[in-house]
Amino acid sequence: MKPFYITTPIYYINAAPHIGHAYTTIAADILARTLRLQGRQVHFLTGTDEHGLKIEKAAAEAKLSPKEYADGIASQFRDLWKALDIQPDDFIRTTEPRHEETVRSAFAALLKSGDIYKGRYRGFYCVSDETFWTEKETLPGPGGAKLCPNPDCKRPLERVEEESYFFKLSRYGDRLLSHYDAHPEFLSPSSRASEMKNFVKAGLQDISVSRAKVKWGVPVPGDESHTVYVWFDALLNYLAAADSKDASLWPADVHIVGKEIYRFHSVVWPAMLMALGRKLPGKVFAHGWWTVEGEKMSKSKGNFVDPLAVTKDFGVDAFRFFLFREMPFGQDGDFSIASLKRRYNADLANDLGNLLNRASDMAIRYLDGAIPESLGERDFIEREKMAQLSSAISNAIEGLDFSSALATIWSEIGRLNRLVNERAPWEVAKTDREKAGEIVADILWGLRVIGSWIEPFMPAAAAKLRSRIGSPRMPMLAKLGDQRRPQDALPQSPGRVSKGEPLFPRKA
Ligand code: MSP
């Protein structure tokens, strides 16, 4: 079977990575880990977008050559992903030969087919967004200046009048609309679909795909006075990376992107692929945006959240958890240290941490820290129910509905905590020590299942939890259904339950 191919955007390297970049990349990692746990083959791609005017200018400001500058920031991204327990299978940089080669050959092929033609561009350009705007679209600024109409940008635009190559996007409107209709999953979440359909229905214009004055880019084949427009260049990374690895990888199964670049991914990119005669990705998913302490992150406010600073205080697991517990993927939300702390203490230190502490203390008391070889016939925790929830959780994650998956997991953690109170093994033990042990063994089994559920979100915490309850790694999260018979329920040679440090020490 073809590996399940997941991508993130490739990030601009004009600034250091921040929480927004981490968000998308952790989402892709959670999906990748979930599928790998089910034994599926996965290919997870991320990378950096290194060409264009914005990078050229950032490098000049840093008094470095664009390449030196790019090398520095690209490695910051790579290091950050490692620090956040993100495990991509490939990392592509648009300055790599495998990428530049793909851009050249795609551009040349479209020139040949007539999908790219030479014309003259008259309009405006936003360097920050690397986006062309027509005069009609711009906002009026002071002194007759034109401003970027993107509400999150509004920076002054450059007036551009130059010879340019155009991509015949206008040719693809009808084919795009029929693709959207035939593949309802393509535009995801569905709340995004009508906006894109309306945009296409309103009529597509051909788009400029070269710049005459930008040097830092891939030269247009046969016309070195132009470089390829950075978005035409960047989108091809998904194909370049796949083709350089394994011919069977393409098409991507899911492109995960932020909402602000959805149009490039759901209109321009599929049209480019149609022109190239390549298959279209299965799904393009737009997630929402974080504000920080109620404000938009911006250079002028200097309020970019550095993921490493947050993880220093709260740990990598809590950071990964919070981003997906706090706001539904697809919607916008606010990141604040107060809400992170609240969730940390309530969900992690209390709910999960206490369950583990109580279960392991009782296991040491009533089972002498040894887990029985098999569970008894008596089912205290409704094992069948947990087995079914395993599929629901992995389906939610596959549908990129991370917050529902976490809500389900936490309601099970709550249920197990209540069950401990109700069953009160410490009371039972006064008259029936064996039964107290059976209850505890059941709870431990439940915790082991929970450990497998949280693993994609919090890989390090899941490993610690397993070692505390002497459990091996669960091979397949969704296949727990096969393991609910008592004889399958516990490891062949279970380890020992041990006392240990709290998984999530409370924060004052
Ligand atoms: N280089 C282009 C993408 C090319 S893909 C072929 C680009 N890069 S970017 O560095 O600006 O990164 C954009 C991505 O970062 C968004 O799509 C989103 O995934 C993430 N985010 C940036 N800021 C964000 C928030 N404030 N909140 C959530 N995610 C955000 O665009």
Side-chain angles (χ1 to χ4, degrees):
M1 209 161 92
K2 161 188 175 323
F4 191 94
Y5 183 21
I6 307 167
T7 72
T8 73
I10 48 171
Y11 304 108
Y12 288 131
I13 49 157
N14 62 311
H18 59 67
I19 183 178
H21 309 124
Y23 184 51
T24 322
T25 320
I26 296 171
D29 188 62
I30 292 168
L31 176 61
R33 283 176 182 271
T34 302
L35 298 174
R36 286 187 203 122
L37 274 167
Q38 295 171 7
R40 308 253 299 263
Q41 283 268 15
V42 176
H43 191 79
F44 162 21
L45 172 75
T46 188
T48 41
D49 188 354
E50 306 190 353
H51 290 132
L53 200 49
K54 174 156 134 157
I55 311 301
E56 197 176 293
K57 290 188 170 175
E61 263 170 44
K63 299 201 165 51
L64 292 172
S65 74
K67 181 70 175 116
E68 281 167 337
Y69 175 78
D71 287 347
I73 309 231
S75 41
Q76 279 186 39
F77 273 91
R78 247 189 235 276
D79 293 348
L80 178 62
W81 301 155
K82 203 161 174 210
L84 296 179
D85 278 344
I86 296 168
Q87 297 177 328
D89 298 292
D90 192 6
F91 187 105
I92 190 163
R93 301 179 54 185
T94 55
T95 48
E96 284 175 58
R98 61 172 170 162
H99 178 81
E100 294 188 348
E101 194 44 56
T102 301
V103 175
R104 269 193 296 273
S105 70
F107 203 102
L110 299 192
L111 265 176
K112 199 163 164 217
S113 67
D115 278 291
I116 289 182
Y117 62 92
K118 200 172 191 176
R120 202 169 172 75
Y121 181 79
R122 216 176 267 115
F124 294 84
Y125 194 77
C126 174
V127 178
S128 170
D129 286 351
E130 298 279 16
T131 302
F132 292 98
W133 300 104
T134 61
E135 178 148 22
K136 264 204 306 225
E137 289 170 317
T138 64
L139 299 176
K146 306 287 183 194
L147 305 182
C148 178
N150 167 4
D152 290 328
C153 180
K154 293 189 178 166
R155 291 183 180 82
L157 297 171
E158 287 186 358
R159 186 183 291 275
V160 176
E161 184 169 353
E162 63 189 27
E163 192 181 58
S164 172
Y165 289 85
F166 286 83
F167 170 57
K168 274 197 185 159
L169 184 60
S170 59
R171 232 187 216 180
Y172 291 94
D174 290 343
R175 280 178 65 188
L176 285 169
L177 289 170
S178 32
H179 188 83
Y180 300 153
D181 284 341
H183 303 88
E185 286 250 290
F186 184 83
L187 297 175
S188 287
S190 54
S191 55
R192 297 263 164 215
S194 56
E195 187 194 336
M196 287 306 124
K197 288 182 187 170
N198 290 339
F199 174 72
V200 176
K201 280 182 195 151
L204 295 173
Q205 308 278 317
D206 292 349
I207 56 166
S208 171
V209 289
S210 71
R211 293 301 312 272
K213 297 197 182 84
V214 178
K215 286 188 194 63
W216 181 238
V218 179
V220 164
D223 188 352
E224 306 255 314
S225 62
H226 292 254
T227 52
V228 176
Y229 170 45
V230 63
W231 267 100
F232 184 91
D233 167 334
L235 287 163
L236 285 163
N237 88 85
Y238 305 126
L239 202 55
D243 289 350
S244 73
K245 290 281 171 200
D246 167 356
S248 79
L249 262 183
W250 193 258
D253 292 274
V254 56
H255 291 312
I256 305 178
V257 303
K259 61 179 181 178
E260 83 290 2
I261 56 174
Y262 197 52
R263 202 187 277 182
F264 280 114
H265 283 84
S266 61
V267 179
V268 178
W269 176 229
M272 284 167 63
L273 287 166
M274 286 171 176
L276 290 167
R278 301 292 299 253
K279 289 195 177 130
L280 303 201
K283 184 187 282 192
V284 187
F285 191 102
H287 67 69
W289 265 45
W290 288 99
T291 51
V292 171
E293 311 283 348
E295 304 215 51
K296 210 179 98 54
M297 282 187 289
S298 73
K299 238 185 191 162
S300 53
K301 292 201 192 87
N303 60 344
F304 287 101
V305 174
D306 171 6
L308 286 180
V310 178
T311 57
K312 228 172 126 205
D313 293 340
F314 289 89
V316 170
D317 290 304
F319 178 65
R320 291 175 59 116
F321 165 79
F322 176 81
L323 293 178
F324 295 93
R325 173 84 162 140
E326 183 73 1
M327 99 179 177
F329 205 56
Q331 290 174 30
D332 296 335
D334 187 53
F335 179 90
S336 74
I337 294 296
S339 46
L340 170 56
K341 193 155 132 191
R342 211 175 310 123
R343 286 235 177 250
Y344 178 98
N345 281 332
D347 297 354
L348 299 177
N350 262 4
D351 296 350
L352 178 59
N354 282 350
L355 180 62
L356 173 63
N357 279 343
R358 295 164 90 191
S360 48
D361 284 353
M362 290 188 300
I364 291 165
R365 219 168 318 137
Y366 307 125
L367 295 168
D368 300 321
I371 307 170
E373 288 290 331
S374 70
L375 293 172
E377 287 303 313
R378 282 191 287 190
D379 178 3
F380 297 100
I381 63 162
E382 299 178 67
R383 304 197 276 262
E384 176 70 31
K385 181 181 169 187
M386 289 192 87
Q388 281 167 9
L389 283 178
S390 282
S391 311
I393 290 164
S394 71
N395 288 343
I397 297 175
E398 282 179 55
L400 301 175
D401 188 357
F402 303 110
S403 58
S404 298
L406 286 171
T408 305
I409 300 171
W410 255 259
S411 86
E412 281 299 281
I413 292 175
R415 190 175 71 88
L416 290 186
N417 269 319
R418 283 193 302 279
L419 217 121
V420 173
N421 297 342
E422 285 157 17
R423 293 280 175 184
W426 51 92
E427 290 295 334
V428 176
K430 290 179 187 160
T431 53
D432 188 344
R433 204 182 148 85
E434 194 185 326
K435 184 175 171 194
E438 283 177 23
I439 299 170
V440 173
D442 242 25
I443 302 275
L444 285 175
W445 184 85
L447 249 179
R448 178 179 163 203
V449 174
I450 283 169
S452 78
W453 291 344
I454 64 170
E455 176 167 351
F457 295 93
M458 301 191 281
K464 276 190 214 149
L465 183 146
R466 282 196 301 270
S467 92
R468 284 280 297 278
I469 60 172
S471 152
R473 192 155 173 249
M474 279 287 211
M476 284 174 234
L477 181 135
K479 291 223 171 144
L480 268 174
D482 304 341
Q483 302 199 8
R484 63 182 171 257
R485 291 172 308 158
Q487 61 270 39
D488 298 334
L490 289 166
Q492 295 306 308
S493 36
R496 294 190 67 83
V497 178
S498 57
K499 258 192 170 356
E501 296 293 304
L503 268 190
F504 298 100
R506 273 194 82 80
K507 300 279 169 202

